[in-house]
Amino acid sequence: MDQAPIKLTEVDRMILASYKDFAEGLSDYLSDCYEIVLHDLENMDHSVIKILNGYHTGRKEGAPITDLALEMLAKMGSSNDKPYITYMCKNKKDEPLRSTTIAIKGEGGRIIGVMCINFYLDSPFSDVIASLCTVGGRPTVSRNENFAENVSETIEKSMISARQRVMEDERILPSQRNREIIRELYQNGVFNLKDAVTYIANLLGISRNTVYLHIRNIAQECSQEKIEQEG
């Protein structure tokens, strides 16, 4: 791979910008024991455009690309092998890191940036365990998630959950329960799934036209509520 800086297109810039949010989400998931670094290869003298937990290596945004990252890039660009490399290294304090460098490709399949993930191996074990029980430093709240094997199972599980919540709400009249179930499913995006209307109609024992009628009315209500909030 030619290690000279490249000229980014507008699409390339949008791709790299999207990785900034990805880096923040990844850092929130992995905890402070990991340093996440996003490099823009257009300006290698100041390639770091996003860094989380940079105190592990003493870097900030605007820092240059490292010599080892350049070496990793050369290896990835000169072979047809996988576009990432995992390796062991050390920071300035001679502290061990377990790292991976992942190529980010832009228009034409060329490498326009890299994301580096560095795990600080001297992290206290108690911190590592604590990170598994918190999210962003906050205690986690367990939520049920249905890992379905097909779309129909996803729709059915969503419908069962919505119906249970509606049935437990004594404020909802029996005549309004189907509508409120459909409202919750609509707000949760269930009707974006293929054949969801047919599945829901069958599960509720009503016609598809009735489901469509509720969806239209609910969509209008949601649009009106949004207009009022913005106004």
Side-chain angles (χ1 to χ4, degrees), residues 5 40-48 62-65:
D40 175 344
L41 299 184
E42 187 171 42
N43 183 358
M44 294 192 182
D45 292 337
H46 304 282
S47 65
V48 177
I65 196 166

Side-chain angles (χ1 to χ4, degrees), residues 8-215:
L8 298 182
T9 67
E10 193 61 33
V11 172
D12 291 334
R13 297 183 196 283
M14 292 174 64
I15 291 172
L16 285 175
S18 71
Y19 272 85
K20 291 183 178 182
D21 290 337
F22 177 78
E24 290 190 2
L26 188 61
S27 177
D28 193 52
Y29 175 75
L30 291 176
S31 82
D32 295 346
C33 301
Y34 291 81
E35 178 189 69
I36 313 293
V37 191
L38 178 62
H39 291 275
D40 175 344
L41 299 184
E42 187 171 42
N43 183 358
M44 294 192 182
D45 292 337
H46 304 282
S47 65
V48 177
I49 58 174
K50 187 73 177 181
I51 185 166
L52 290 308
N53 305 321
Y55 52 82
H56 287 308
T57 58
R59 290 179 295 173
K60 298 179 180 179
E61 290 183 14
I65 196 166
T66 67
D67 54 346
L68 188 55
L70 285 174
E71 181 182 336
M72 298 296 106
L73 274 169
K75 289 181 179 179
M76 287 187 287
S78 62
S79 70
N80 294 321
D81 203 0
K82 53 194 177 185
Y84 57 87
I85 299 176
T86 300
Y87 51 94
M88 305 296 293
C89 62
K90 293 183 178 181
N91 62 15
K92 290 180 179 179
K93 299 178 182 178
D94 207 36
E95 297 166 329
L97 301 169
R98 186 175 189 272
S99 304
T100 187
T101 294
I102 306 167
I104 299 172
K105 295 184 178 181
E107 284 193 292
R110 62 180 184 155
I111 298 177
I112 60 172
V114 291
M115 177 170 285
C116 299
I117 304 171
N118 303 310
F119 176 56
Y120 182 56
L121 290 172
D122 280 353
S123 298
F125 186 66
S126 58
D127 289 354
V128 177
I129 294 300
S131 72
L132 300 176
C133 303
T134 61
V135 175
R138 305 177 302 276
T140 57
V141 177
S142 180
R143 299 187 59 182
N144 292 328
E145 183 171 4
N146 298 310
F147 297 98
E149 296 181 6
N150 52 63
V151 172
S152 60
E153 184 180 350
T154 297
I155 296 171
E156 182 177 357
K157 294 292 186 181
S158 298
M159 215 286 290
I160 291 173
S161 297
R163 181 162 57 185
Q164 181 178 350
R165 284 189 286 271
V166 169
M167 292 299 184
E168 290 175 351
D169 191 338
E170 297 179 353
R171 297 169 299 176
I172 300 175
L173 297 174
S175 60
Q176 295 296 313
R177 285 174 180 167
N178 282 348
R179 174 186 169 85
E180 291 307 310
I181 291 171
I182 292 171
R183 176 190 294 277
E184 181 165 334
L185 295 174
Y186 174 82
Q187 292 175 336
N188 290 340
V190 173
F191 291 107
N192 292 324
L193 299 174
K194 184 179 180 181
D195 296 329
V197 169
T198 300
Y199 279 116
I200 296 303
N202 291 336
L203 290 170
L204 291 177
I206 59 179
S207 69
R208 294 171 70 251
N209 287 339
T210 300
V211 175
Y212 278 121
L213 177 62
H214 284 315
I215 290 175

